């Protein structure tokens, strides 16, 4: 990521963590903390960061950019690639058509540059399941709200590559609300006929050619997502998909979208009552439509956790579901709002698994808008650097979809340091797909632990008190026995072998994220 930072409007490290200028989603009093950098810069030699599994459906269009850090040019190879797929050796993009035959295809990826080589296995699982690891990307909502147009998403895709984010696994560039016609609007760009001649939803004039936009994003090896509501109107009052769901989904697939956020909004006026059946209905309809499309589209249920969606989101065709209300509107108290959203999401750990993820909403760090006053320009996050590392650590331990929703066009070095740590992201993307559990929680600290596929355990020691404190991970509480090798994932350093417990001094609101392997 180092080599690309020059293309940015570098906000520098100065603003990160400076909290006194405004209030956002935390109502907590401002505390200042100097930024500090935990993630070491990536090596110049290649490091392949792909999760070890990727799900797709038979015969559908296939596109996968291999996340890999290291100095470019990098030359990629992929052994045992099924015949229907090709690899672009310079870009590291696998494309073509998924094999027609269901099954598991194990390929061996290698990446080589002038400084060295790395290899990794990738299992392509051709079947019914998608999102075998939590989806990662960027969503416009918490920075741009209704101020969106085609060019922003093209720029976001370029930045996702140039910033290095894509080399860590970020791959979806997602449009949220406000891309469609706004019925009754006097704004010439937004008003007009909301449906096309076929009765499908139409973009507003800020999106002159959706198919061309998707093509552009795909040409970089990235994917793209769109948003609509099962109700007549979206949450921001734009055209929804009510009664033309099938036509709209066809259109999304024709344009080339790979992800759909389906937001309840005005469907509340359509549902007959609050019964489980009525709550499931619109999602069941869309889930069924997407299954029959000739395109893999991830379905994100956005209905704020109603009727315990974590229990049935997968059954109706969802791949991930918001478990709470909007993080950007969550009031903080002593603690910023993200902790409360995270604690609530943590309660549903037992329901997550590959292709079925609890979604606690986006990562709001760096330059972010104010969801309570969407006309305000984006400002530096009020979160301290320690809180930002804790935020990312919690989301990764909870196997949450990782969508950055700050201003991707104004990334700074500190924000990238939080978003782009390969060993931290590996926790989120672990193929076992277990959501970490809360092991212990007091007013001052909590511990979350996530079993990993190789028999290791990722553990977060979180300080939520007002001062630095020593936090202890005790093997008995973690159900571990005997000596374990301990590694600090943020700094990517081995800490030694410990027999029964490990203790760390953790900053105010900070975290130590470790991984333990039996010795
Ligand atoms: C709801 C959702 C948000 C966002 C807005 C758009 O509030 O929860 O994530 O999509 O709608 O209007």
């Amino acid at each position: 990521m180092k080599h690309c930072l020059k293309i940015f409007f570098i906000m520098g490290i100065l603003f990160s963590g400076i909290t006194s200028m405004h209030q956002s989603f935390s109502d907590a009093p401002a505390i200042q903390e100097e930024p500090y950098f935990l993630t070491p810069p990536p090596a110049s030699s290649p490091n392949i960061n792909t999760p070890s599994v990727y799900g797709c459906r038979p015969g559908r269009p296939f596109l996968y950019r291999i996340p890999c850090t290291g100095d470019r040019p990098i030359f990629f190879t992929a052994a045992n690639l099924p015949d229907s797929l090709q690899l672009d050796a310079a870009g590291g993009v696998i494309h073509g058509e998924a094999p027609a035959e269901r099954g598991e295809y194990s390929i061996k990826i290698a990446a080589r540059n002038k400084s060295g080589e790395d290899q990794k296995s990738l299992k392509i699982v051709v079947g019914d399941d998608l999102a075998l690891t939590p989806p990662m990307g960027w969503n416009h909502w918490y920075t741009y709200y209704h101020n969106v147009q085609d060019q922003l998403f093209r720029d976001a895709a370029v930045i996702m590559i140039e910033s290095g984010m894509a080399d860590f696994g970020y791959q979806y560039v997602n449009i949220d609300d406000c891309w469609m016609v706004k019925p009754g609007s006097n704004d010439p760009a937004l008003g007009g006929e909301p449906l096309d001649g076929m009765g499908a939803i139409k973009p507003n004039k800020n999106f002159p050619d959706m198919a061309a936009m998707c093509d552009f994003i795909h040409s970089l090896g990235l994917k793209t997502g769109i948003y609509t509501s099962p109700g007549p109107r979206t949450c921001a009052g734009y055209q929804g998909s009510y009664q033309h769901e099938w036509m709209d989904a066809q259109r999304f697939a024709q344009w080339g979208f790979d992800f759909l956020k389906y937001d309840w909004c005005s469907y509340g006026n359509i549902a007959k009552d609050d019964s489980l059946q009525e709550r499931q209905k619109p999602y069941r309809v869309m889930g069924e439509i997407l299954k029959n499309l000739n395109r893999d589209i991830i379905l994100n249920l956005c209905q704020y956790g109603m009727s315990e969606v974590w229990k049935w989101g997968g059954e109706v065709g969802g791949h991930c579901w918001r478990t709470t209300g909007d993080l950007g509107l969550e009031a903080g108290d002593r603690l910023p709002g993200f902790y409360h959203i995270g604690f609530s999401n943590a309660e549903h750990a037992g329901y997550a698994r590959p292709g079925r993820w609890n979604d606690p909403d986006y990562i709001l760090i760096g330059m972010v808008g104010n969801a309570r006053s969407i006309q305000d320009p984006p400002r530096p996050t009020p979160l301290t650097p320690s809180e930002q590392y804790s935020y990312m650590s919690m989301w990764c331990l909870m196997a949450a979809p990782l969508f950055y929703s700050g201003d991707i066009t104004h990334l700074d070095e500190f924000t990238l340091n939080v978003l782009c740590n390969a060993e931290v992201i590996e926790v989120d993307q672990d193929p076992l797909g277990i959501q970490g559990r809360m092991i212990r929680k007091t007013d001052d600290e909590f511990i979350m632990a996530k079993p990993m596929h190789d028999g290791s355990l990722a553990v977060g020691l979180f300080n939520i008190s007002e001062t630095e404190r020593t936090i202890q991970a005790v093997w008995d509480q973690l159900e571990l026995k005997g000596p374990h090798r301990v590694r600090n994932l943020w700094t990517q350093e081995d800490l030694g072998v410990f027999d029964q417990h490990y203790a760390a001094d953790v900053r105010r609101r900070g975290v130590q994220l470790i991984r333990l392997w039996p010795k």
Side-chain angles (χ1 to χ4, degrees):
M1 79 186 133
K2 212 176 27 180
H3 61 285
C4 305
L5 280 173
K6 60 180 181 290
I7 71 147
F8 292 105
F9 167 37
I10 307 246
M11 302 306 294
I13 57 174
L14 284 175
F15 71 72
S16 296
I18 295 178
T19 60
S20 50
M21 285 104 75
H22 76 299
Q23 277 199 315
S24 178
F25 45 83
S26 167
D27 292 330
I31 298 269
Q32 227 164 301
E33 185 187 43
E34 289 302 314
Y36 55 98
F37 289 73
L38 294 179
T39 306
S44 55
S45 59
N47 196 30
I48 300 172
N49 294 317
T50 178
S52 55
V53 289
Y54 180 80
C56 57
R57 298 185 305 155
R60 308 310 201 277
F62 186 103
L63 181 70
Y64 184 71
R65 182 185 187 276
I66 301 162
C68 181
T69 54
D71 292 349
R72 306 270 161 167
I74 296 178
F75 182 77
F76 292 87
T77 56
N80 302 329
L81 203 59
D83 290 345
S84 62
L85 297 176
Q86 297 91 47
L87 170 73
D88 156 18
V93 178
I94 303 174
H95 58 97
E97 209 170 79
E101 193 128 340
R102 289 162 181 268
E104 297 187 356
Y105 298 78
S106 283
I107 65 173
K108 189 97 185 162
I109 298 170
R112 203 176 65 237
N113 69 5
K114 61 180 183 333
S115 310
E117 179 169 337
D118 192 23
Q119 294 194 357
K120 193 152 179 197
S121 299
L122 171 65
K123 191 165 70 182
I124 299 176
V125 184
V126 183
D128 296 320
D129 289 331
L130 304 176
L132 296 182
T133 63
M136 296 173 63
W138 177 77
N139 170 291
H140 91 251
W141 184 247
Y142 283 118
T143 307
Y144 290 95
Y145 304 106
H146 53 291
N147 302 311
V148 281
Q149 22 67 27
D150 171 295
Q151 190 62 41
L152 172 66
F153 297 92
R154 294 172 186 253
D155 291 349
V158 170
I159 292 169
M160 198 173 276
I161 304 280
E162 297 288 342
S163 67
M165 285 178 73
D167 296 338
F168 291 85
Y170 294 91
Q171 57 173 326
Y172 288 93
V173 176
N174 285 3
I175 311 181
D176 205 277
D177 203 345
C178 308
W179 61 268
M180 46 307 250
V181 167
K182 188 172 193 185
S185 172
N186 295 326
D187 182 334
L190 305 182
E193 190 49 53
L195 303 182
D196 66 17
M198 303 289 286
I201 195 164
K202 252 173 55 181
N204 63 41
K205 297 198 177 56
N206 294 319
F207 293 87
D209 190 341
M210 280 294 201
M213 191 197 76
C214 292
D215 280 353
F216 176 77
I217 295 171
H218 291 152
S219 74
L220 302 174
L222 300 176
K223 298 186 172 108
T224 177
I226 196 156
Y227 165 107
T228 186
S229 170
R233 298 283 180 273
T234 67
C235 294
Y238 289 62
Q239 179 68 28
S241 289
Y242 182 55
Q243 290 185 323
H244 39 92
E245 299 84 354
W246 188 84
M247 279 306 306
D248 291 5
Q250 292 288 332
R251 198 60 89 235
F252 300 154
Q254 282 162 2
W255 286 334
F257 284 101
D258 309 288
F259 187 109
L260 173 65
K261 174 172 172 181
Y262 208 37
D263 195 350
W264 177 268
C265 305
S266 66
Y267 193 84
N269 303 325
I270 303 294
K272 293 197 198 80
D273 51 45
D274 293 345
S275 64
L276 178 62
Q277 201 190 4
E278 284 295 296
R279 291 265 167 84
Q280 290 181 336
K281 196 160 142 191
Y283 293 100
R284 221 180 259 293
V285 168
M286 186 51 81
E288 205 48 43
I289 293 171
L290 295 187
K291 259 184 220 152
N292 292 305
L293 289 181
N294 185 28
R295 188 167 187 86
D296 288 345
I297 299 185
I298 305 283
L299 178 59
N300 178 213
L301 276 48
C302 180
Q303 47 82 287
Y304 341 114
M306 292 186 299
S307 299
E308 305 182 302
V309 65
W310 42 90
K311 294 189 175 166
W312 51 265
E315 181 201 317
V316 300
H319 301 99
C320 43
W321 39 81
R322 282 266 303 278
T323 55
T324 68
D326 293 11
L327 196 152
L329 296 174
E330 181 76 8
D333 47 15
R334 184 177 73 80
L335 296 173
F338 80 85
Y339 281 109
H340 299 296
I341 295 277
F343 295 151
S344 167
N345 189 70
E347 288 170 20
H348 319 306
Y351 297 95
R353 64 185 165 88
R356 314 265 189 276
W357 309 108
N358 288 315
D359 175 5
D361 211 355
Y362 306 132
I363 310 270
L364 308 190
I365 62 172
M367 294 290 278
V368 279
N370 179 358
R372 292 178 189 155
S373 176
I374 61 171
Q375 304 296 345
D376 291 358
R379 307 234 184 148
T381 174
L383 299 175
T384 64
S386 291
E387 287 164 346
Q388 297 177 56
Y389 284 119
S390 294
Y391 193 160
M392 184 73 182
S393 304
M394 271 178 101
W395 262 231
C396 288
L397 283 164
M398 294 192 298
L402 293 180
F403 279 87
Y404 179 52
S405 193
D407 190 349
I408 197 167
T409 68
H410 290 85
L411 286 167
D412 63 283
E413 207 182 335
F414 179 79
T415 303
L416 283 169
N417 200 268
V418 176
L419 292 174
C420 295
N421 183 310
E423 295 194 28
V424 172
I425 291 174
E426 199 179 330
V427 174
D428 184 76
Q429 297 290 305
D430 185 74
L432 204 55
I434 293 182
Q435 179 175 333
R437 285 178 191 271
M438 193 69 86
I439 301 295
R440 181 172 92 220
K441 181 165 174 289
T442 69
D443 286 347
D444 295 323
E445 63 185 47
F446 66 93
I447 295 185
M448 265 188 175
K450 180 183 199 289
M452 305 279 285
H453 79 284
D454 62 351
S456 66
L457 189 70
V459 179
L461 310 176
F462 293 87
N463 178 357
I464 44 172
S465 78
E466 297 305 317
T467 51
E468 179 169 318
R469 63 189 282 115
T470 305
I471 305 184
Q472 188 158 216
V474 180
W475 279 203
D476 274 355
Q477 289 178 0
L478 297 170
E479 296 177 16
L480 300 177
K481 285 212 175 355
H484 278 71
R485 179 165 71 84
V486 179
R487 185 167 169 85
N488 182 332
L489 297 185
W490 276 109
T491 61
Q492 305 183 354
E493 289 166 324
D494 288 330
L495 298 171
V497 174
F498 295 80
D499 287 336
Q500 290 172 21
H501 51 81
Y502 167 79
D505 294 333
V506 186
R507 288 174 184 242
R508 169 191 182 272
R509 304 280 171 77
V511 60
Q512 186 160 129
L513 183 64
I514 52 176
R515 188 161 166 185
L516 302 94
W517 287 264
K519 184 72 182 137

